[in-house]
Amino acid sequence: MRGNPYSILRGGWKALGTQAIVWDEYLTGPFGLIAQYSLLKEHEVEKMFTLKSGKLPSADVKNIIFFVRPRLELMDIIAENVFSEDKMHSSRDFHILFVPRRSMLCEQRLKEQGVLASFVNIDEYILDLIPYDGDLLSMEYESAFRECYLENDQTSLYHTAKGLMTLQALYGTIPQIYGKGDCARHVANMMLRMKREFAGSQNQILPVFDTLLLLDRNIDLLTPLATQLTYEGLIDEIYGITNGYVKLPPEKFAQKKQGEASKDLPTESKKLQLNSAEELYAEIRDKNFNAVGAALSKKAKIISAAFEERHNAKTVGEIKQFVSQLPHMQAARSSLANHTSIAELIKDITTSEAFFENLTVEQEFMTGVDTDKVNTYIEDCIAQKDPLIKILRLMCMQSVCNNGLKQKVFEYYKREILQTYGYEHILTLNNLEKASLLKLQTSSRNNYPTIRKTLKLWMEDANEQNPNDISYVYSGYAPLSVRLTQVLARPGWRSIEEVLKLLPGPHFEERQQLPAGLHKKRQQGENRTTLVFFLGGVSYAEIAALRFLSQMEDSGMEYIIATTKLLNGTTWIKSLMDRPESQIS
Amino acid sequence: MTFITANWNPLGEAFYRKSELYEMCWNLRDGLRDCLVAAAPYGGPIALLREPVRRSPSSRPQLEIYSASGVSIASFPWKSGPVVHLGWTVSDELLCIQEDGSVLIYDLFGSFKRHFSMGQEVVQSQVLEAKVFHSPYGTGVAIVTGSSRFIMATNIDDLKLRRLPEVPGLQGKPSCWVVLNQDRQTKVLLSTGSELYILDNTSCTAVSLPGLAPQGGSIVHMSVSFSYKYLAVLTDSGHLWTGPSHLQDKMSEVDTKKLTPPKQMVWCRRPKSQQPSVVLMWDRLLMVVGVCQDTIQFPTEDQCVLVGEMDGVRIISSTNQELLQEVPLVCQEIFKIASMAPGALLLEAHREYEKSSQKADEYLREIKEQSMLGEAVSQCIEAAGHEYDPNTQKSLMRAASFGKCFLTDFSPGQFVTTCRELRVLNSVRESSVGLPLTHTQFKQMTLQVLIDRLVYRQFYPLAIEMCRYLKIPDYQGVSRVLKHWASCKVQQKDLSDEAIARAMCAKVGDSPGVSYSDIAAKAYECGRTELAIKLLDFEARSGEQVPLLLKMKRSQLALSKAVESGDTDLVYTVVTYLKNEMNRGDFFMTLRNQPVALSLYRQFCKLQEQETLKDLYNQDDDHKELANYYVTASYREKRLESRLSLLQSAVDEYNKAKNEFSAKATEEEMRLLRFQRKLDDEKGAGLLELSLQATMEALLALGLYKQAEQLYRDFRVPDKRYWWLKLKSLAEKEEWDELEKFSKSKKSPIGYLAFVEVCMKSNNKYEAKKYVSKVTPEQRVKAHLAISDLDGAADAAIERKNDSEIATVLSRCSAADRLLIERLNRASTAKK
């Protein structure tokens, strides 16, 4: 699935010569996953800049290529760049490459600004779904949830449908589509429509996916609010994973460089890539953090045993064999060292009282304890001026678990927030209300307990070490979204019709006709494959839960996960916040 | 069958045959006399411009267009100026070159397409002669003017007029001239009688014909071959010189013994010609002059026109049309009398076989003995391709098929292809279609072009049948034909919109590659907007519908189609368009009916036009959003007064939205802002922009306790939060006495453990101790531990008989606290 963005340039735009790329900053991360900088260098890319207003930095190149998302504000910046440039170098060629799609609106804007004619090429690089791992695709469309639920802007859904069409062009028509939620319905409608548009150009590819499941994020608002308790989830919660990389405080990693010990501690944070290509990480990423320690020490024993092997190596042949394994072993050892350090860092936090109290409150909410009263912990946190996002997460969680807050409680919280963190957050609170994350309890009936019980969202005896249920990812709470996925596979949604009706939006099933002769003849015991698409984002813990289901021996189902954005409660809430003062600058 | 060679005439080593293609369908009263005639190669159409019988100022000549078989396609009186020359372009368009140098272009059906001029000077000097020629660049026109100048355009679709240099001594028109195409350059070769010149872009060069006998005389006629490679020149002494057109060689020179100049002179050759020849036509005589010096003479009854083809010459008379060509070698070999070629033997074998004669076996054996059977089959197949008569084709193909039975590994490809191609050729040769293509021409022309020509002539059913028969992929075949059919159909004025739309849907259906929007665009071009809209409804891709709808000013429909597509960029495009097209009121109303478009436009306004956003909310009476808008706007204001007035507007809107909480919160904010300003003015406290909590914090830090207290009361701050705030603030400032006073002011709503912990945070164990005793029993252990008083903690834990507390204390003990550990352990066991 990985492609070289230069294939476009080399194929379509011949004889380019030296180039400088001006990046829309947001794109550098995702592009880093598919084209390394070194690769770009090989293709005569001499310089890379970040798009900003004013004059372009000087560079001795023939071509300037803008890699941008189709956004009006970026067009204005480009226009400014081009204007200030023209006077100095008249011989340069400008190109613009839209990611993921060309936009008439943007071209119109460039035309209005009077720079459209300055571009030798205007093209698009269709990059909807970016591979983040063997089983994980994300569009990294940060504002998708906000646009869909706050602003009624379905651009991201259009890109989703387009992306799914591309996926089907590559991996065959997906015969069955299930979905739950308004956005899911919209995407499915667009896909069916697009299929009609391409009528006649049927692809003759044996379908890789048996089922597509489209899930709206707003059918399960609870899950991302809860603190993820898998290893990867915690790394994301505490340090934030962006585009497959995490930045960690350097102190723990300092002493490893022997000989440099005398030097000062490094001040630059340690950047690590996290994906399943790293054997150890693949093994522990989805484990409950409480099981990671054991896994690491087991691994440590295996590795040191492997190193001990050298004493047993007697013949030249044996030594040679040992040496040939050395690079692999050394990589494993450094991987182990890294993850031991990370685990220590995390452990410092998870064993803290604050973390424990926070988790206790979360679990109380999830189990429905005292959700209709003002929670003293939240109150204390506000008094202590803890980070606002933390407060909002807890508040939203309480609201979701109580099917809305009682007016007194609701207004008390809101007043507390406005008085403590500032009146400007009234806009954020309004946003959260609009997204149903916070709401006033209107009916006296609270559905959440019904949903919790029917779908078994709370498992009292979650086994963290050797899990037998997805609830291990939150040490007791089974993510609703994943439970729905699990039920769909067996025994089917018909068994939970009542609960589905309690969740927002329609649920549906569509079938897509396959060309004759492409119907899979399934071998006995062969797994079915489902593509689960989370519209509005998915958390690492949910991914872990789905991976757990894939690995369950008797599930018979393999899951590939796709989403508009990889998120956690913090980044999610952040995307819904409005800060009027930031608009001043 | 036996007489296949009956119309063969030997010419040198080879044979020439003249076979009838059609009896002409036309009925020309006066034959081809006194008309301008233009017939296009590759079996193309024929145009006639006939002078009226009685010349009078009012009578006009008639322009008639026929298919190659003489079926009338169009006929209309010529109303424009006098025409000097007619010619056809490569895409079957008729060029009418007028005396004044303007060139009018008509399509096959006689409808005027466009015109261009050969230059202003020609209007004065007039065109004396003109020629239309074809080159790799397209169709060109060359003229010679009354002032003896040559003007040329090599491609009429990309018109660039070239005025060629003057020819020395030329008065009026030259005795004869031809257009040559050499080395990617178009040149004119002309003769003034005795002299021969080559004219190119820059120069006029005198040339001579190599080896022309001195008694040759002056040149009266010239002809260049179809491929521009060979030249034939006829002198007034009747000598015909032939040679390559680069004039460096001579092929032959033949004395025709004719002193009158011929009407027409045309090359007759074919690819791999054995015996190329030149055909000369006089009034009653047709003479084929071979390069080998041999000649064949045919008498002619009637006025004829010769049309040079790549592999022969067509002879069109008023009654019939014949093809004169050199018999292809393979046909000669098979049909030549007493031929022993393998193909001939195979044909004979098959003939005997059909008669159930054992001779069949003898012939077969003979071929097989020479291992020539494969060769024989190929020969028969190839010959069949060259034969025009379906019966001859059949007998050859049957023979081939028969021979194939005795071969094990003969690829059937050639056989199958030839069968298919012959069926196609036979059907287009039908008189009603009238495309007399030879197999060689067909191969040169390609199937694609043939289908295009059929489509252009509106033989849609035949074209579709052909595509299906030849299994051409829909995209290049049937769909392409349907597309043309559809765009022709929408121009039929006599049919109702409804009928056309229905017919369209029935025929085109969902054929891949047929774009309804293209057809609709065509309908719109013809002024049928309603039909265009109907057709657009069939278009599955909304992206395609929208631009045309906008062009047709159906903006509302365009908007709903854009919304339907889900492509937000498309919606934005329509919205921007509407915004510029409509007045504001209508624009807003339109948006109101399209919620998706409206919210997208709101998004746009949020980023680009804040003021419009307000108007939008106003229109929708969306008070809540309006209030939010004012709140946002207030933060953009630097002056407090304007800020407060915007907030007041927000309050009003929140009230209208029945959002009491927000209204009150906003009012509080206003109160806070006023308070902050007052204090800023009075004390320079720098409070503006701070939250209530931060304001109180700042006040406490400044020691303005009273003011802090006032805020605490005025804004009904919960006790707990205020106590925390004050506690921390006092500890930070190390105002220990003040703190103690505060602790005693009333019962702490946050308990006293908080006091202990905060004091310890400031490392003041002494102060912390003061509060330990006030802590509730449940927290006492914790409090003692906070001040590292293990003994106290132990006492408290033991007193409370609480295991987990005892354990907590134990976990804090070090080895040095042996006594304490024992005590705790005892207490623990005692309990059990």
Side-chain angles (χ1 to χ4, degrees):
Chain A
M1 223 176 286
R2 276 163 206 237
N4 172 4
Y6 271 73
S7 55
I8 292 189
L9 306 186
R10 295 183 61 76
W13 304 359
K14 275 171 227 133
L16 263 183
T18 52
Q19 304 148 17
I21 296 184
V22 183
W23 288 97
D24 172 352
E25 199 168 13
Y26 187 80
L27 292 175
T28 49
F31 262 88
L33 290 172
I34 53 171
Q36 304 290 329
Y37 181 43
S38 54
L39 182 73
L40 296 178
K41 280 221 143 155
E42 279 171 34
H43 290 95
E44 294 191 90
V45 177
E46 309 256 319
K47 287 265 169 61
M48 310 249 259
F49 306 119
T50 311
L51 182 66
K52 39 179 191 274
S53 55
K55 223 167 64 180
L56 282 171
S58 63
D60 184 23
V61 290
K62 180 90 183 48
N63 299 280
I64 304 276
I65 304 168
F66 292 95
F67 265 67
V68 288
R69 289 167 298 158
R71 289 184 171 246
L72 286 180
E73 61 272 24
L74 299 179
M75 296 306 111
D76 296 348
I77 297 176
I78 290 177
E80 209 177 305
N81 283 177
V82 172
F83 265 128
S84 56
E85 178 76 8
D86 254 347
K87 293 158 210 154
M88 297 155 28
H89 301 268
S90 50
S91 63
R92 289 206 198 176
D93 286 341
F94 289 102
H95 313 260
I96 191 163
L97 204 54
F98 285 112
V99 185
R101 207 152 269 114
R102 276 180 88 143
S103 146
M104 286 196 255
L105 190 70
C106 287
E107 285 170 46
Q108 181 66 31
R109 183 59 158 229
L110 291 173
K111 201 171 162 189
E112 281 165 23
Q113 298 270 20
V115 291
L116 188 68
S118 311
F119 289 94
V120 185
N121 283 301
I122 294 182
D123 214 328
E124 58 189 8
Y125 182 74
I126 299 178
L127 181 75
D128 290 314
L129 288 163
I130 307 158
Y132 273 73
D133 228 315
D135 58 352
L136 179 60
L137 299 161
S138 171
M139 292 164 60
E140 284 308 282
Y141 195 110
E142 199 160 27
S143 49
F145 184 84
R146 184 189 172 106
E147 284 177 11
C148 286
Y149 298 100
L150 282 191
E151 282 144 0
N152 196 24
D153 172 355
Q154 292 161 333
T155 307
S156 62
L157 300 181
Y158 179 72
H159 290 318
T160 303
K162 279 279 187 188
L164 282 167
M165 293 314 283
T166 313
L167 207 66
Q168 289 188 91
L170 293 169
Y171 297 103
T173 305
I174 305 173
Q176 267 185 317
I177 304 177
Y178 290 94
K180 171 73 189 167
D182 289 320
C183 294
R185 183 68 262 184
H186 188 62
V187 169
N189 286 348
M190 277 193 285
M191 283 173 71
L192 297 174
R193 192 190 160 88
M194 285 171 189
K195 190 169 181 245
R196 276 205 306 283
E197 291 181 10
F198 294 122
S201 51
Q202 282 274 19
N203 61 39
Q204 296 291 322
I205 298 165
L206 202 67
V208 172
F209 301 109
D210 300 280
T211 310
L212 166 66
L213 173 59
L214 295 162
L215 290 176
D216 274 33
R217 184 71 270 174
N218 84 334
I219 59 166
D220 175 14
L221 296 170
L222 175 57
T223 304
L225 291 171
T227 304
Q228 310 171 67
L229 296 177
T230 59
Y231 180 53
E232 189 170 41
L234 276 167
I235 295 178
D236 187 39
E237 293 278 350
I238 296 166
Y239 299 106
I241 302 175
T242 38
N243 295 308
Y245 285 89
V246 65
K247 278 185 187 164
L248 296 160
E251 299 81 17
K252 285 263 183 191
F253 300 90
Q255 68 270 29
K256 279 217 303 296
K257 282 186 196 153
Q258 286 162 355
E260 283 177 51
S262 59
K263 282 195 181 166
D264 294 1
L265 285 176
T267 46
E268 215 173 283
S269 49
K270 169 100 176 166
K271 200 172 171 190
L272 277 180
Q273 192 174 17
L274 299 174
N275 62 42
S276 288
E278 188 182 344
E279 199 182 308
L280 174 64
Y281 188 62
E283 211 173 290
I284 59 173
R285 65 192 299 185
D286 299 323
K287 282 193 189 308
N288 184 295
F289 184 69
N290 284 338
V292 167
L296 286 175
S297 70
K298 201 173 115 199
K299 191 77 181 181
K301 278 183 199 128
I302 294 172
I303 290 176
S304 56
F307 275 99
E308 286 310 307
E309 281 290 308
R310 69 169 178 260
H311 300 303
N312 302 336
K314 299 227 163 53
T315 69
V316 177
E318 282 168 348
I319 291 171
K320 196 178 168 194
Q321 204 200 341
F322 175 81
V323 170
S324 73
Q325 285 169 351
L326 258 181
H328 178 238
M329 282 160 56
Q330 271 159 349
R333 191 160 65 174
S334 95
S335 161
L336 177 70
N338 279 339
H339 287 290
T340 310
S341 303
I342 298 174
E344 279 169 14
L345 281 170
I346 292 175
K347 193 150 195 221
D348 288 348
I349 289 163
T350 54
T351 50
S352 73
E353 200 162 328
F355 186 89
F356 178 75
E357 278 181 69
N358 186 68
L359 199 62
T360 311
V361 172
E362 282 186 11
Q363 299 200 338
E364 275 172 17
F365 288 157
M366 289 191 287
T367 47
V369 176
D370 285 344
T371 48
D372 55 353
K373 288 191 215 141
V374 171
N375 182 287
T376 41
Y377 178 69
I378 295 184
E379 217 178 358
D380 286 346
C381 287
I382 294 175
Q384 304 293 336
K385 235 177 165 178
D386 279 356
L388 176 60
I389 291 182
K390 175 183 168 186
I391 312 292
L392 293 174
R393 266 177 90 161
L394 285 168
M395 247 174 88
C396 292
M397 208 161 162
Q398 186 178 355
S399 168
V400 172
C401 293
N402 198 46
N403 195 23
L405 297 167
K406 283 191 176 151
Q407 185 163 3
K408 232 181 88 191
V409 178
F410 193 25
E411 292 189 353
Y412 178 79
Y413 279 147
K414 287 206 283 188
R415 243 173 80 87
E416 283 293 279
I417 285 174
L418 296 186
Q419 288 194 350
T420 309
Y421 298 92
Y423 167 74
E424 69 265 26
H425 298 293
I426 194 166
L427 297 172
T428 298
L429 291 172
N430 282 337
N431 285 348
L432 294 174
E433 246 180 285
K434 212 166 161 188
S436 306
L437 274 161
L438 280 180
K439 64 181 179 184
L440 194 65
Q441 199 176 49
T442 42
S443 73
S444 52
R445 249 193 62 134
N446 177 8
N447 311 328
Y448 175 70
T450 322
I451 299 170
R452 187 184 70 224
K453 277 170 210 147
T454 321
L455 293 180
K456 298 197 182 74
L457 296 188
W458 185 259
M459 304 297 275
E460 212 42 76
D461 44 2
N463 186 338
E464 291 167 351
Q465 303 293 332
N466 295 302
N468 50 12
D469 182 74
I470 55 169
S471 56
Y472 84 92
V473 297
Y474 287 101
S475 295
Y477 168 70
L480 193 158
S481 57
V482 182
R483 193 65 102 200
L484 285 182
T485 312
Q486 189 182 11
V487 173
L488 177 69
R490 208 158 49 185
W493 275 0
R494 201 158 297 167
S495 62
I496 53 164
E497 284 279 341
E498 291 307 313
V499 171
L500 284 174
K501 276 183 202 150
L502 295 178
L503 300 172
H507 57 279
F508 60 89
E509 178 185 354
E510 297 283 352
R511 278 171 194 279
Q512 297 200 95
Q513 212 58 46
L514 285 181
L518 287 186
H519 291 279
K520 238 186 194 172
K521 283 175 197 77
R522 200 170 304 284
Q523 307 277 312
Q524 188 70 36
E526 191 187 330
N527 276 352
R528 296 168 64 85
T529 307
T530 296
L531 176 67
V532 189
F533 206 119
F534 290 86
L535 302 164
V538 68
S539 68
Y540 286 100
E542 284 169 298
I543 295 168
L546 283 170
R547 284 188 183 138
F548 170 78
L549 288 181
S550 292
Q551 281 155 16
M552 262 185 14
E553 266 174 30
D554 55 345
S555 78
M557 187 66 83
E558 194 161 332
Y559 293 98
I560 304 289
I561 303 124
T563 184
T564 49
K565 174 85 181 99
L566 295 165
L567 50 71
N568 58 42
T570 304
T571 57
W572 189 34
I573 297 288
K574 210 177 203 165
S575 78
L576 293 170
M577 289 177 76
D578 256 330
R579 291 163 198 275
E581 71 271 42
S582 68
Q583 290 176 14
I584 303 172
S585 54
Chain B
M1 190 82 83
T2 347
F3 308 115
I4 246 173
T5 53
N7 64 349
W8 288 19
N9 296 283
L11 185 80
E13 301 277 282
F15 291 91
Y16 269 66
R17 67 180 173 194
K18 196 165 69 137
S19 32
E20 183 169 276
L21 298 176
Y22 297 117
E23 270 187 37
M24 297 304 278
C25 298
W26 59 27
N27 191 8
L28 302 178
R29 246 185 302 154
D30 302 299
L32 294 166
R33 223 169 285 279
D34 302 324
C35 353
L36 278 177
V37 183
Y42 291 100
I46 306 167
L48 295 180
L49 186 66
R50 182 180 297 280
E51 285 303 319
V53 187
R54 272 173 292 117
R55 271 187 183 272
S56 73
S58 62
S59 66
R60 299 186 179 280
Q62 189 77 10
L63 183 69
E64 292 164 7
I65 300 175
Y66 296 97
S67 76
S69 56
V71 175
S72 171
I73 298 174
S75 167
F76 57 96
W78 184 254
K79 292 181 183 151
S80 197
V83 174
V84 178
H85 188 82
L86 291 177
W88 292 95
T89 69
V90 280
S91 44
D92 278 354
E93 284 170 328
L94 181 62
L95 300 180
C96 305
I97 303 161
Q98 298 194 139
E99 221 167 60
D100 62 358
S102 55
V103 181
L104 280 64
I105 306 180
Y106 289 82
D107 73 6
L108 192 59
F109 300 97
S111 12
F112 175 73
K113 304 288 275 190
R114 61 188 177 95
H115 74 97
F116 63 89
S117 164
M118 292 302 286
Q120 203 51 46
E121 63 163 300
V122 191
V123 180
Q124 287 293 315
S125 56
Q126 306 265 294
V127 180
L128 294 182
E129 272 186 352
K131 287 189 198 302
V132 173
F133 57 92
H134 306 294
S135 71
Y137 309 110
T139 300
V141 172
I143 59 167
V144 54
T145 69
S147 49
S148 307
R149 293 300 292 259
F150 284 87
I151 298 173
M152 191 150 69
T154 36
N155 179 7
I156 58 159
D157 291 323
D158 177 21
L159 195 68
K160 283 193 194 92
L161 293 178
R162 280 167 31 205
R163 201 157 173 269
L164 301 185
E166 207 173 338
V167 181
L170 179 62
Q171 295 290 321
K173 61 178 183 183
S175 63
C176 56
W177 57 288
V178 287
V179 178
L180 289 179
N181 222 311
Q182 284 176 340
D183 311 326
R184 281 183 277 152
Q185 249 201 2
T186 314
K187 302 172 185 172
V188 169
L189 179 66
L190 73 129
S191 158
T192 57
S194 48
E195 304 295 325
L196 196 60
Y197 295 101
I198 281 194
L199 266 181
D200 60 20
N201 283 354
T202 51
S203 60
C204 172
T205 324
V207 288
S208 60
L209 298 175
L212 181 65
Q215 75 280 18
S218 64
I219 297 167
V220 291
H221 219 309
M222 288 195 286
S223 169
V224 67
S225 70
F226 202 79
S227 59
Y228 291 106
K229 276 196 191 134
Y230 303 99
L231 182 71
V233 174
L234 186 70
T235 66
D236 58 358
S237 59
H239 278 79
L240 180 72
W241 178 96
T242 51
S245 57
H246 53 68
L247 303 181
Q248 309 211 320
D249 247 327
K250 170 174 143 179
M251 281 158 75
S252 76
E253 193 178 322
V254 186
D255 185 2
T256 61
K257 308 209 171 57
K258 290 275 178 186
L259 295 179
T260 43
K263 282 261 162 66
Q264 240 186 311
M265 185 167 92
V266 178
W267 273 95
C268 181
R269 13 178 331 117
R270 64 179 309 120
K272 295 184 196 138
S273 212
Q274 285 177 287
Q275 264 319 318
S277 66
V278 180
V279 182
L280 294 87
M281 186 184 74
W282 286 271
D283 256 347
R284 298 194 164 275
L285 179 71
L286 196 68
M287 186 190 279
V288 182
V289 183
V291 173
C292 57
Q293 317 240 333
D294 232 357
T295 62
I296 312 166
Q297 302 200 4
F298 297 104
T300 56
E301 291 294 311
D302 204 358
Q303 178 95 21
C304 295
V305 175
L306 303 181
V307 185
E309 295 277 7
M310 63 178 294
D311 57 348
V313 173
R314 277 189 294 140
I315 305 157
I316 302 171
S317 80
S318 60
T319 53
N320 67 348
Q321 180 172 176
E322 291 167 309
L323 175 67
L324 174 71
Q325 61 169 177
E326 182 186 329
V327 179
L329 189 60
V330 58
C331 297
Q332 285 182 36
E333 282 190 337
I334 289 186
F335 293 116
K336 207 158 62 178
I337 294 167
S339 165
M340 292 297 278
L345 292 175
L346 179 58
L347 185 64
E348 203 52 41
H350 179 245
R351 219 173 267 159
E352 294 300 333
Y353 169 75
E354 287 202 315
K355 283 192 270 178
S356 310
S357 156
Q358 83 280 8
K359 277 193 188 154
D361 184 51
E362 283 171 30
Y363 282 119
L364 262 179
R365 254 176 227 288
E366 196 172 334
I367 311 170
K368 281 182 115 174
E369 268 163 25
Q370 303 169 48
S371 344
M372 296 293 268
L373 189 52
E375 168 79 17
V377 173
S378 291
Q379 275 189 347
C380 284
I381 296 172
E382 200 190 331
H386 290 301
E387 286 303 319
Y388 213 83
D389 171 37
N391 288 321
T392 317
Q393 294 166 2
K394 271 184 211 161
S395 62
L396 285 165
M397 290 309 272
R398 286 206 184 103
S401 164
F402 173 68
K404 228 154 55 75
C405 298
F406 301 94
L407 288 166
T408 45
D409 53 354
F410 189 83
S411 155
Q414 189 197 5
F415 182 83
V416 174
T417 315
T418 307
C419 268
R420 286 212 179 116
E421 288 173 349
L422 279 175
R423 286 193 66 174
V424 167
L425 281 176
N426 288 340
S427 62
V428 300
R429 282 169 187 166
E430 283 285 327
S431 181
S432 55
V433 180
L435 281 172
L437 286 176
T438 63
H439 190 256
T440 318
Q441 289 165 18
F442 168 70
K443 282 304 207 194
Q444 178 69 26
M445 176 190 242
T446 72
L447 182 62
Q448 284 299 328
V449 177
L450 177 59
I451 291 171
D452 280 348
R453 296 224 158 163
L454 287 173
V455 165
Y456 184 42
R457 286 165 171 73
Q458 302 186 357
F459 291 111
Y460 302 115
L462 178 63
I464 288 183
E465 228 173 280
M466 235 161 79
C467 294
R468 294 212 173 113
Y469 176 66
L470 294 176
K471 299 198 171 70
I472 300 172
D474 273 358
Y475 200 79
Q476 305 154 14
V478 175
S479 292
R480 211 155 53 98
V481 180
L482 281 172
K483 211 153 72 187
H484 285 283
W485 169 77
S487 36
C488 166
K489 191 84 180 168
V490 296
Q491 298 175 47
Q492 290 184 4
K493 300 243 160 31
D494 51 328
L495 288 176
S496 75
D497 292 345
E498 195 55 48
I500 292 179
R502 230 179 308 122
M504 208 69 80
C505 184
K507 282 254 160 50
V508 179
D510 291 332
S511 308
V514 185
S515 152
Y516 277 103
S517 49
D518 287 354
I519 305 170
K522 191 84 192 173
Y524 175 64
E525 244 170 59
C526 308
R528 302 187 73 162
T529 313
E530 284 309 312
L531 175 60
I533 292 171
K534 279 202 169 68
L535 290 173
L536 272 183
D537 249 2
F538 298 129
E539 174 67 63
R541 297 162 298 168
S542 353
E544 303 290 313
Q545 300 170 319
V546 172
L548 185 61
L549 285 169
L550 283 183
K551 212 164 127 196
M552 298 194 297
K553 307 240 175 290
R554 297 299 157 117
S555 35
Q556 309 258 1
L557 198 55
L559 185 59
S560 58
K561 292 285 178 196
V563 168
E564 223 172 90
S565 76
D567 182 348
T568 44
D569 185 52
L570 202 58
V571 180
Y572 270 130
T573 310
V574 181
V575 168
T576 333
Y577 178 88
L578 292 180
K579 192 177 144 205
N580 297 332
E581 286 292 296
M582 294 177 149
N583 69 46
R584 210 170 158 92
D586 291 350
F587 174 55
F588 281 7
M589 275 316 287
T590 309
L591 285 184
R592 214 171 165 172
N593 297 326
Q594 288 289 355
V596 174
L598 180 60
S599 25
L600 285 176
Y601 184 60
R602 271 199 209 116
Q603 279 278 83
F604 171 84
C605 290
K606 250 181 216 166
L607 293 168
Q608 310 276 338
E609 294 175 21
Q610 289 276 343
E611 277 302 306
T612 317
L613 193 61
K614 190 172 85 183
D615 298 345
L616 278 173
Y617 291 142
N618 247 325
Q619 180 201 255
D620 294 347
D621 290 329
D622 190 340
H623 300 296
K624 195 174 164 203
E625 287 300 335
L626 210 48
N628 289 344
Y629 166 81
Y630 285 124
V631 172
T632 314
S634 79
Y635 281 92
R636 279 196 299 266
E637 284 295 340
K638 294 264 181 297
R639 285 180 46 242
L640 190 65
E641 295 312 321
S642 9
R643 200 161 152 184
L644 286 169
S645 91
L646 282 166
L647 285 176
Q648 184 56 50
S649 308
V651 172
D652 297 345
E653 295 300 330
Y654 277 131
N655 276 326
K656 281 185 206 160
K658 299 206 164 44
N659 191 336
E660 277 169 46
F661 172 82
S662 299
K664 247 169 98 187
T666 311
E667 275 170 353
E668 279 188 4
E669 168 71 3
M670 291 167 69
R671 230 167 56 207
L672 178 65
L673 284 170
R674 291 201 184 97
F675 176 89
Q676 288 172 332
R677 190 179 49 179
K678 196 172 132 236
L679 272 189
D680 281 0
D681 289 350
E682 284 170 7
K683 320 250 174 192
L687 300 173
L688 222 54
E689 306 291 346
L690 294 182
S691 72
L692 177 66
Q693 182 85 347
T695 309
M696 292 191 296
E697 203 176 325
L699 290 173
L700 290 173
L702 290 168
L704 299 167
Y705 300 123
K706 237 206 271 160
Q707 282 83 349
E709 199 86 0
Q710 188 197 336
L711 284 180
Y712 153 64
R713 265 194 212 101
D714 284 2
F715 287 86
R716 289 180 296 117
V717 176
D719 289 348
K720 274 191 189 170
R721 178 147 57 82
Y722 185 69
W723 273 69
W724 267 115
L725 180 64
K726 191 153 179 185
L727 163 63
K728 277 182 165 172
S729 176
L730 292 174
E732 209 152 282
K733 287 172 69 187
E734 311 201 329
E735 302 255 14
W736 303 115
D737 294 341
E738 194 70 32
L739 184 62
E740 197 169 351
K741 225 163 42 189
F742 175 56
S743 78
K744 288 172 182 161
S745 61
K746 68 177 200 183
K747 189 173 177 283
S748 164
I750 52 172
Y752 291 92
L753 180 60
F755 280 74
V756 176
E757 282 172 348
V758 169
C759 290
M760 284 310 292
K761 230 179 191 169
S762 304
N763 293 317
N764 194 331
K765 203 168 177 176
Y766 173 76
E767 287 296 329
K769 269 186 183 159
K770 286 184 185 168
Y771 303 104
V772 173
S773 57
K774 290 188 161 189
V775 169
T776 57
E778 293 81 29
Q779 293 178 321
R780 195 152 294 157
V781 175
K782 254 189 177 172
H784 281 289
L785 285 177
I787 57 166
S788 314
D789 171 16
L790 280 177
D791 289 319
D795 289 343
I798 293 165
E799 187 184 323
R800 280 172 45 75
K801 299 191 175 128
N802 184 315
D803 275 345
S804 73
E805 279 176 13
I806 291 174
T808 315
V809 180
L810 270 173
S811 71
R812 292 279 294 271
C813 293
S814 61
D817 306 315
R818 199 167 40 79
L819 283 173
L820 196 60
I821 293 172
E822 274 169 21
R823 223 178 107 213
L824 283 165
N825 281 335
R826 261 202 315 279
S828 178
T829 39
K831 223 186 115 226
K832 279 170 193 164

